[in-house]
Amino acid sequence: SRPAAAMAAAARAPARIGDPVSDIDTPALVVDMEKLRMNLKIMPQSMSSFGSVAVRPHAKAHKCATLALLQVSHGAVGMCAQTLTEAEAMVYGGVQDVLVSNQIIGHSKLLRFATLAHHAKMSLCVDNEENIRELSNIAKDLNVTIGAVVEVNVGQDRCGVEPGPEVPRLAKLVQELPNLTFVGVQCYQGLNQHVRKAADRQAATDTVVEKSKRALKALEDAGIKCDYVTGGGTGTYLYEAGSGVFTEVQPGSYVFMDADYGRNFGEDGQPVHQFHQSLFVLTTVQSVTVGNRAVVDAGMKAVSLDSGEPLVYPTAEVIYHCGGDEHGILRPPANYKVGDKVWLIPGHCDPTVNLYDWIVGVRKNKVEALWPITGRGPGV
Ligand code: PLP
Ligand code: MN
């Protein structure tokens, strides 16, 4: 299977448990275990006033079953996955309930997806009739039952049907076809997550809620019962949870956070400090030009730049500039010497994690855990 292949390729870990941080081979993806633990605890606490709204964290952030199982032990009902590879990593890693919050297209991949239903409770987002029919046929052949979630376009203009008659049409089709159950609807708007001001994020989520209500009304008018509405990410999940419409939220980045989420503001206009930055890229200084620059061993192959450059931690005065595929240039060079370790906060956690085979968990300057990122890759 793909996870086994990924693990074989990743056989050489960048550190050993018990090593000091200075012995970690860099660039390395390092997680501060204490901050991770705090984030795991804050999530259920933050949801305590929303009664029965479930948390189904998104595995697209970490793609790591070990971490997913920790989230489940902190009250998560199951996991979301965005790609088939992530879903396989979750199920073969022991997660018992997985929603693929995305479409899976084509016979070969649908077959792999349906096979997972032999091991776990599986559901999948759909927005296309032919895809639904193919999914039903394959599920029937395999003698498994799959939950179908109709994806609704609530403003991102990506996937999903408009919140109108198409929703009950597809729901009805799902109900009529063998080996499928109609679970409910997904109403996710990714662009809202990084709207900077809290009041603007709330207002943007109000639009999402309004469109979700339209989808539910269309279902009700068609006589179709729907008691599942899922969506929301780290930036807006509290608004979806408080809407009275959503029954489940899907935050992913909260376990790690990143520099982009660090630029979001809370209700009081202060930066959002609800979750802690637990994810870092650990780098080594490989060259210094005194008075001008220090160069670290982390370029585009080690940290994603789509949401801005990484921040140097904890020294805000030193700025990271991309130095190409394998280099980062730090200015001013502070007092860095060749061989020094430098911590970076990635601009965007998901695509940065996707570059690595291992999460290196550290506590008090020592390696405590090595977790394989078995769901990494382009999502084949
Ligand atoms: N749900 C879906 C469908 C997503 O695409 C994403 C992220 O892209 C999330 C949830 C999680 O978002 P975040 O990592 O910002 O919490
Ligand atoms: Mn993301």
Side-chain angles (χ1 to χ4, degrees):
S1 69
R2 174 67 182 75
M7 287 181 74
R12 183 148 38 80
R16 285 171 301 183
I17 288 171
D19 278 355
V21 165
S22 56
D23 281 0
I24 298 171
D25 290 345
T26 64
L29 191 76
V30 169
V31 168
D32 180 319
M33 296 295 269
E34 192 50 37
K35 288 179 177 154
L36 175 72
R37 194 187 65 90
M38 290 195 277
N39 291 344
L40 289 168
K41 285 188 163 181
I42 291 168
M43 178 49 70
Q45 284 164 8
S46 75
M47 289 291 290
S48 61
S49 60
F50 299 119
S52 59
V53 180
V55 180
R56 180 182 292 276
H58 214 302
K60 76 193 287 294
H62 53 67
K63 312 158 230 306
C64 169
T66 319
L67 190 32
L69 292 174
L70 278 174
Q71 290 172 306
V72 170
S73 77
H74 284 79
V77 295
M79 295 300 296
C80 291
Q82 199 82 307
T83 69
L84 180 54
T85 315
E86 289 168 7
E88 287 174 335
M90 293 303 112
V91 172
Y92 295 135
V95 177
Q96 292 168 316
D97 183 337
V98 176
L99 162 67
V100 173
S101 59
N102 202 357
Q103 286 71 45
I104 293 180
I105 304 302
H107 187 269
S108 164
K109 288 178 78 172
L110 284 173
L111 194 57
R112 278 165 56 200
F113 172 77
T115 301
L116 297 175
H118 284 307
H119 310 283
K121 187 177 171 199
M122 299 303 297
S123 47
L124 175 63
C125 277
V126 292
D127 71 358
N128 172 271
E129 177 171 344
E130 286 315 304
N131 180 243
I132 294 169
R133 290 186 186 281
E134 197 173 11
L135 181 64
S136 168
N137 283 336
I138 290 170
K140 195 166 165 236
D141 286 350
L142 265 69
N143 195 27
V144 295
T145 301
I146 285 166
V149 175
V150 174
E151 181 164 10
V152 180
N153 176 22
V154 288
Q156 191 164 5
D157 292 344
R158 195 166 62 181
C159 302
V161 297
E162 292 305 305
E166 222 14 41
V167 182
R169 190 181 77 80
L170 292 185
K172 206 161 193 302
L173 178 70
V174 165
Q175 287 179 334
E176 285 165 4
L177 291 172
N179 297 70
L180 298 183
T181 56
F182 172 63
V183 180
V185 291
Q186 172 167 291
C187 300
Y188 177 76
Q189 218 300 21
L191 303 174
N192 290 354
Q193 306 309 316
H194 291 89
V195 170
R196 293 307 174 202
K197 286 192 199 153
D200 296 344
R201 277 199 304 285
Q202 167 86 71
T205 307
D206 289 346
T207 307
V208 168
V209 170
E210 191 45 52
K211 293 190 175 188
S212 307
K213 281 182 181 163
R214 257 189 257 165
L216 292 176
K217 176 80 169 50
L219 284 164
E220 195 188 317
D221 289 349
I224 298 170
K225 192 168 157 294
C226 178
D227 51 14
Y228 178 86
V229 182
T230 188
T234 300
T236 66
Y237 77 98
L238 290 174
Y239 305 134
E240 272 94 353
S243 67
V245 169
F246 281 74
T247 62
E248 183 179 277
V249 291
Q250 315 178 342
S253 300
Y254 78 96
V255 275
F256 293 148
M257 299 303 279
D258 54 31
D260 199 17
Y261 264 124
R263 289 185 278 269
N264 271 16
F265 291 89
E267 311 284 351
D268 51 3
Q270 296 299 309
V272 178
H273 287 307
Q274 188 184 358
F275 297 107
H276 303 270
Q277 184 66 45
S278 71
L279 183 79
F280 300 89
V281 166
L282 185 69
T283 68
T284 303
V285 176
Q286 67 179 78
S287 174
V288 174
T289 301
V290 176
N292 184 279
R293 63 189 181 274
V295 177
V296 293
D297 60 357
M300 279 182 273
K301 288 181 183 173
V303 66
S304 87
L305 300 174
D306 63 279
S307 301
E309 257 107 4
L311 302 177
V312 180
Y313 176 85
T315 33
E317 311 84 63
V318 179
I319 307 293
Y320 174 103
H321 306 268
C322 178
D325 299 341
E326 296 89 7
H327 301 92
I329 300 169
L330 306 185
R331 287 201 173 97
N335 294 318
Y336 291 128
K337 297 182 298 301
V338 169
D340 284 354
K341 292 283 189 272
V342 179
W343 298 70
L344 303 177
I345 297 174
H348 190 180
C349 57
D350 320 52
T352 298
V353 174
N354 205 42
L355 298 167
Y356 290 86
D357 291 313
W358 295 89
I359 290 171
V360 182
V362 305
R363 190 190 300 267
K364 293 196 171 72
N365 212 36
K366 267 201 174 156
V367 176
E368 182 182 281
L370 287 165
W371 295 338
I373 306 171
T374 48
R376 67 172 291 222
V380 179

XYZ file of all heavy atoms in Angstrom, residues 99-164:
498
model
N -14.027 11.086 7.095
C -14.725 11.775 6.016
C -13.695 12.320 5.040
O -12.812 13.091 5.451
C -15.550 12.948 6.584
C -15.986 14.024 5.568
C -17.002 13.475 4.570
C -16.564 15.247 6.283
N -13.785 11.924 3.781
C -12.978 12.601 2.764
C -13.790 13.820 2.330
O -14.835 13.684 1.693
C -12.620 11.672 1.588
C -11.936 12.457 0.477
C -11.697 10.557 2.068
N -13.315 14.990 2.727
C -14.062 16.248 2.556
C -13.814 16.828 1.173
O -13.626 18.032 1.011
C -13.607 17.235 3.632
O -12.199 17.461 3.512
N -13.827 15.959 0.184
C -13.369 16.295 -1.157
C -13.922 15.224 -2.088
O -14.425 14.205 -1.621
C -11.830 16.268 -1.150
C -11.206 17.068 -2.267
O -11.885 17.631 -3.124
N -9.882 17.092 -2.261
N -13.786 15.428 -3.400
C -14.258 14.421 -4.347
C -13.140 13.432 -4.652
O -11.960 13.806 -4.660
C -14.717 15.085 -5.654
C -16.044 15.818 -5.535
C -15.944 17.085 -4.716
O -15.026 17.868 -4.880
N -16.892 17.290 -3.802
N -13.527 12.168 -4.903
C -12.575 11.173 -5.406
C -13.114 10.697 -6.748
O -14.272 10.272 -6.848
C -12.404 9.994 -4.416
C -11.727 10.502 -3.134
C -11.588 8.864 -5.056
C -11.515 9.438 -2.083
N -12.280 10.775 -7.771
C -12.737 10.562 -9.148
C -12.033 9.356 -9.784
O -10.823 9.194 -9.646
C -12.455 11.829 -10.003
C -13.116 13.071 -9.375
C -12.916 11.637 -11.460
C -14.625 12.995 -9.193
N -12.804 8.545 -10.462
C -12.242 7.458 -11.268
C -12.297 6.119 -10.543
O -12.209 6.045 -9.321
N -12.389 5.046 -11.360
C -12.629 3.712 -10.823
C -11.539 3.256 -9.865
O -11.817 2.742 -8.777
C -12.779 2.714 -11.986
C -13.195 1.360 -11.534
N -12.281 0.379 -11.223
C -14.418 0.833 -11.301
C -12.933 -0.700 -10.831
N -14.231 -0.456 -10.865
N -10.298 3.441 -10.271
C -9.191 2.915 -9.468
C -9.166 3.543 -8.068
O -9.044 2.842 -7.055
C -7.869 3.176 -10.208
O -6.790 3.035 -9.330
N -9.303 4.834 -8.017
C -9.237 5.499 -6.716
C -10.496 5.235 -5.893
O -10.433 5.076 -4.669
C -8.993 7.003 -6.904
C -7.568 7.308 -7.364
C -7.315 8.774 -7.604
C -7.102 9.538 -6.329
N -6.664 10.941 -6.599
N -11.654 5.162 -6.555
C -12.883 4.855 -5.810
C -12.815 3.454 -5.207
O -13.314 3.211 -4.100
C -14.111 4.994 -6.713
C -14.548 6.427 -7.011
C -15.665 6.442 -8.055
C -14.994 7.153 -5.728
N -12.177 2.549 -5.942
C -12.013 1.185 -5.437
C -11.141 1.187 -4.180
O -11.459 0.530 -3.178
C -11.378 0.324 -6.536
C -11.410 -1.185 -6.367
C -12.833 -1.701 -6.212
C -10.748 -1.857 -7.589
N -10.039 1.921 -4.223
C -9.180 2.020 -3.038
C -9.945 2.662 -1.876
O -9.832 2.228 -0.732
C -7.924 2.851 -3.354
C -6.833 2.054 -4.030
C -5.777 2.953 -4.645
N -5.172 3.869 -3.687
C -4.522 4.993 -4.029
N -4.397 5.340 -5.288
N -3.996 5.750 -3.109
N -10.720 3.693 -2.211
C -11.490 4.362 -1.161
C -12.500 3.398 -0.538
O -12.595 3.271 0.694
C -12.208 5.599 -1.724
C -13.155 6.210 -0.742
C -12.684 6.994 0.304
C -14.516 5.974 -0.831
C -13.549 7.534 1.243
C -15.391 6.510 0.101
C -14.903 7.294 1.138
N -13.242 2.705 -1.391
C -14.293 1.809 -0.879
C -13.691 0.673 -0.059
O -14.309 0.194 0.908
C -15.118 1.263 -2.044
N -12.479 0.246 -0.423
C -11.796 -0.814 0.327
C -11.592 -0.389 1.785
O -11.634 -1.224 2.700
C -10.438 -1.134 -0.339
O -10.700 -1.551 -1.676
C -9.692 -2.240 0.395
N -11.403 0.904 1.986
C -11.198 1.392 3.362
C -12.422 1.135 4.231
O -12.314 1.037 5.454
C -10.862 2.894 3.338
C -9.567 3.284 2.626
C -9.418 4.801 2.581
C -8.365 2.663 3.320
N -13.583 1.036 3.587
C -14.821 0.808 4.351
C -14.877 -0.597 4.956
O -15.742 -0.888 5.778
C -16.035 1.064 3.465
N -13.958 -1.485 4.568
C -13.834 -2.787 5.252
C -13.242 -2.595 6.649
O -13.355 -3.464 7.510
C -12.928 -3.739 4.462
C -13.577 -4.325 3.259
N -14.783 -4.985 3.293
C -13.180 -4.354 1.961
C -15.106 -5.392 2.088
N -14.148 -5.020 1.259
N -12.555 -1.463 6.847
C -11.798 -1.257 8.089
C -12.344 -0.145 8.959
O -12.063 -0.095 10.150
C -10.337 -0.927 7.759
C -9.703 -1.876 6.798
N -9.271 -3.132 7.186
C -9.456 -1.778 5.475
C -8.767 -3.753 6.126
N -8.873 -2.962 5.080
N -13.047 0.808 8.346
C -13.480 1.992 9.097
C -14.785 2.519 8.516
O -15.176 2.156 7.400
C -12.398 3.077 9.014
N -15.433 3.380 9.291
C -16.633 4.056 8.797
C -16.183 5.161 7.849
O -15.415 6.046 8.240
C -17.384 4.646 9.993
C -18.716 5.233 9.682
C -19.377 5.718 10.973
C -20.628 6.502 10.629
N -21.043 7.355 11.746
N -16.615 5.088 6.575
C -16.097 6.013 5.565
C -17.221 6.863 4.965
O -18.302 6.349 4.653
C -15.423 5.240 4.423
C -14.226 4.394 4.826
S -12.895 5.301 5.652
C -12.378 6.443 4.354
N -16.939 8.129 4.803
C -17.853 8.984 4.050
C -17.057 9.871 3.098
O -15.847 10.057 3.270
C -18.749 9.803 4.978
O -17.993 10.407 5.993
N -17.767 10.384 2.090
C -17.104 11.075 0.981
C -17.993 12.193 0.456
O -19.204 12.031 0.357
C -16.864 10.045 -0.156
C -16.291 10.557 -1.480
C -14.897 11.128 -1.294
C -16.262 9.417 -2.510
N -17.368 13.319 0.122
C -18.120 14.417 -0.488
C -18.385 14.128 -1.964
O -17.496 13.649 -2.679
C -17.358 15.729 -0.359
S -17.618 16.514 1.233
N -19.599 14.461 -2.390
C -19.978 14.250 -3.789
C -20.679 15.500 -4.318
O -21.323 16.232 -3.555
C -20.927 13.031 -3.939
C -20.201 11.734 -3.618
C -22.168 13.168 -3.053
N -20.528 15.724 -5.634
C -21.295 16.810 -6.256
C -21.643 16.485 -7.707
O -22.002 17.380 -8.466
C -20.551 18.158 -6.138
C -19.302 18.253 -7.027
O -18.964 17.262 -7.721
O -18.671 19.328 -7.028
N -21.553 15.187 -8.053
C -21.724 14.806 -9.452
C -22.426 13.454 -9.575
O -22.060 12.496 -8.890
C -20.325 14.744 -10.107
C -20.364 14.168 -11.502
O -20.255 12.953 -11.676
N -20.535 15.015 -12.485
N -23.429 13.412 -10.444
C -24.280 12.217 -10.552
C -23.505 10.969 -10.983
O -23.647 9.901 -10.382
C -25.423 12.504 -11.534
C -26.292 11.289 -11.745
C -27.548 11.583 -12.539
O -27.922 12.763 -12.673
O -28.148 10.604 -13.016
N -22.673 11.097 -12.024
C -21.934 9.921 -12.518
C -21.007 9.360 -11.449
O -20.864 8.147 -11.281
C -21.119 10.302 -13.770
C -21.962 10.489 -15.017
C -22.989 9.373 -15.170
O -22.584 8.189 -15.182
O -24.197 9.672 -15.236
N -20.363 10.271 -10.724
C -19.466 9.882 -9.639
C -20.233 9.125 -8.551
O -19.767 8.101 -8.022
C -18.796 11.155 -9.085
C -17.832 10.897 -7.949
O -18.059 11.361 -6.832
N -16.767 10.148 -8.200
N -21.433 9.591 -8.246
C -22.252 8.929 -7.220
C -22.643 7.529 -7.684
O -22.568 6.561 -6.918
C -23.510 9.783 -6.911
C -23.114 11.106 -6.249
C -24.485 9.003 -6.025
C -24.254 12.119 -6.145
N -23.016 7.400 -8.942
C -23.408 6.085 -9.476
C -22.224 5.110 -9.447
O -22.368 3.943 -9.087
C -23.950 6.220 -10.908
C -25.292 6.913 -10.981
C -25.875 6.897 -12.398
N -27.094 7.684 -12.462
C -28.288 7.244 -12.046
N -28.427 6.015 -11.586
N -29.345 8.035 -12.121
N -21.053 5.604 -9.823
C -19.861 4.757 -9.830
C -19.514 4.315 -8.405
O -19.170 3.159 -8.163
C -18.695 5.530 -10.473
C -17.549 4.643 -10.903
C -16.470 5.388 -11.689
O -16.495 6.637 -11.721
O -15.591 4.697 -12.253
N -19.619 5.253 -7.471
C -19.346 4.941 -6.062
C -20.301 3.856 -5.559
O -19.873 2.907 -4.890
C -19.495 6.227 -5.226
C -19.226 6.128 -3.738
C -17.766 5.758 -3.467
C -19.564 7.455 -3.035
N -21.560 3.965 -5.919
C -22.554 2.968 -5.492
C -22.224 1.596 -6.068
O -22.256 0.582 -5.354
C -23.952 3.419 -5.923
O -24.873 2.360 -5.780
N -21.892 1.559 -7.355
C -21.561 0.273 -8.001
C -20.383 -0.402 -7.314
O -20.411 -1.606 -7.045
C -21.219 0.496 -9.479
C -22.463 0.725 -10.311
O -23.560 0.301 -9.915
N -22.313 1.427 -11.420
N -19.365 0.370 -7.034
C -18.155 -0.189 -6.418
C -18.447 -0.636 -4.983
O -18.016 -1.713 -4.551
C -17.001 0.841 -6.489
C -16.551 1.001 -7.951
C -15.829 0.420 -5.615
C -15.589 2.138 -8.195
N -19.198 0.172 -4.261
C -19.545 -0.195 -2.883
C -20.350 -1.492 -2.866
O -20.155 -2.356 -1.996
C -20.325 0.937 -2.216
N -21.211 -1.637 -3.859
C -22.035 -2.855 -3.958
C -21.145 -4.070 -4.235
O -21.269 -5.111 -3.587
C -23.073 -2.673 -5.072
C -24.181 -3.686 -5.032
C -25.332 -3.261 -5.925
C -26.245 -4.444 -6.157
N -26.438 -4.734 -7.582
N -20.230 -3.910 -5.195
C -19.295 -5.001 -5.525
C -18.501 -5.432 -4.294
O -18.216 -6.618 -4.112
C -18.301 -4.556 -6.609
C -18.940 -4.487 -7.978
O -20.092 -4.968 -8.111
O -18.309 -3.929 -8.902
N -18.115 -4.465 -3.484
C -17.283 -4.769 -2.314
C -18.114 -5.129 -1.081
O -17.560 -5.459 -0.028
C -16.375 -3.570 -1.972
C -14.975 -3.613 -2.554
C -15.004 -3.438 -4.050
C -14.092 -2.550 -1.939
N -19.439 -4.997 -1.218
C -20.337 -5.286 -0.094
C -20.036 -4.398 1.121
O -19.967 -4.876 2.251
C -20.257 -6.775 0.270
C -21.404 -7.189 1.168
O -22.480 -6.581 1.123
N -21.179 -8.198 2.003
N -19.811 -3.117 0.837
C -19.615 -2.146 1.921
C -20.655 -1.023 1.771
O -21.250 -0.858 0.710
C -18.199 -1.521 1.897
C -17.137 -2.574 2.162
C -17.939 -0.782 0.580
N -20.860 -0.302 2.857
C -21.758 0.856 2.813
C -20.934 2.126 3.008
O -20.070 2.177 3.888
C -22.829 0.750 3.918
O -23.555 -0.449 3.710
C -23.776 1.940 3.885
N -21.198 3.107 2.175
C -20.438 4.362 2.218
C -21.394 5.530 2.433
O -22.483 5.585 1.845
C -19.623 4.521 0.922
C -18.426 3.558 0.988
C -19.129 5.957 0.738
C -17.721 3.338 -0.282
N -20.981 6.440 3.284
C -21.765 7.647 3.523
C -21.451 8.691 2.471
O -20.280 8.974 2.204
N -22.480 9.238 1.860
C -22.272 10.298 0.868
C -22.702 11.632 1.473
O -23.792 11.751 2.036
C -23.058 10.003 -0.402
N -21.812 12.617 1.364
C -22.067 13.965 1.864
C -22.135 14.875 0.645
O -21.164 14.957 -0.118
C -20.927 14.406 2.818
C -21.116 15.857 3.253
C -20.835 13.479 4.029
N -23.273 15.502 0.433
C -23.389 16.390 -0.728
C -22.672 17.696 -0.409
O -22.961 18.357 0.594
C -24.865 16.639 -1.087
C -24.979 17.690 -2.205
C -25.538 15.337 -1.522
N -21.691 18.031 -1.243
C -20.962 19.279 -1.017
C -21.721 20.439 -1.646
O -22.171 20.365 -2.791
C -19.533 19.204 -1.591
C -18.782 20.501 -1.326
C -17.277 20.414 -1.492
O -16.766 19.395 -2.007
O -16.608 21.407 -1.105
N -21.852 21.510 -0.863
C -22.585 22.696 -1.305
C -21.588 23.845 -1.467
O -20.726 24.056 -0.609
C -23.665 23.073 -0.265
C -24.428 24.320 -0.713
C -24.626 21.906 -0.022
N -21.707 24.570 -2.557
C -20.871 25.760 -2.760
C -21.443 26.902 -1.921
O -22.510 27.429 -2.209
C -20.864 26.143 -4.247
C -20.095 27.437 -4.491
O -19.249 27.827 -3.685
N -20.400 28.110 -5.597
N -20.709 27.264 -0.860
C -21.192 28.337 0.020
C -20.345 29.593 -0.153
O -20.242 30.402 0.773
C -21.247 27.881 1.497
C -22.389 26.911 1.715
C -19.917 27.273 1.947
N -19.718 29.742 -1.336
C -19.061 31.011 -1.618
C -17.636 30.926 -2.115
O -17.105 31.894 -2.645
N -16.992 29.765 -1.960
C -15.600 29.673 -2.404
C -15.517 29.469 -3.917
O -14.450 29.642 -4.504
C -14.861 28.554 -1.652
C -13.359 28.585 -1.876
C -12.572 27.754 -0.877
O -13.135 27.069 -0.041
N -11.257 27.815 -0.966
N -16.657 29.080 -4.531
C -16.681 28.799 -5.974
C -15.586 27.809 -6.358
O -14.826 28.022 -7.314
C -16.534 30.101 -6.791
C -17.758 30.997 -6.653
O -18.807 30.495 -6.190
O -17.659 32.186 -6.994
N -15.524 26.722 -5.589
C -14.577 25.656 -5.897
C -15.441 24.446 -6.239
O -16.050 24.421 -7.292
C -13.638 25.434 -4.695
C -12.413 24.608 -5.028
C -11.351 24.677 -3.942
N -11.786 24.151 -2.652
C -11.014 24.147 -1.563
N -9.780 24.630 -1.610
N -11.462 23.667 -0.417
N -15.558 23.481 -5.372
C -16.423 22.334 -5.647
C -17.790 22.558 -5.002
O -18.012 23.513 -4.271
C -15.787 21.058 -5.119
S -14.152 20.753 -5.826
N -18.708 21.634 -5.260
C -20.013 21.701 -4.624
C -21.085 22.249 -5.545
O -20.810 23.017 -6.459
N -22.336 21.823 -5.266
C -23.481 22.310 -6.049
C -24.053 23.550 -5.368
O -23.832 23.779 -4.177
C -24.571 21.223 -6.198
C -24.019 20.027 -6.966
C -25.124 20.783 -4.837
N -24.768 24.359 -6.125
C -25.362 25.572 -5.565
C -26.432 25.187 -4.535
O -27.061 24.130 -4.633
C -25.979 26.420 -6.688
C -24.948 27.011 -7.642
C -23.878 27.823 -6.897
O -24.242 28.745 -6.149
O -22.677 27.516 -7.065
N -26.625 26.046 -3.529
C -27.614 25.735 -2.481
C -29.044 25.901 -2.979
O -29.739 26.836 -2.615
C -27.277 26.745 -1.371
C -26.568 27.858 -2.046
C -25.872 27.282 -3.248
N -29.465 24.983 -3.826
C -30.811 25.006 -4.415
C -31.238 23.585 -4.718
O -30.819 22.645 -4.030
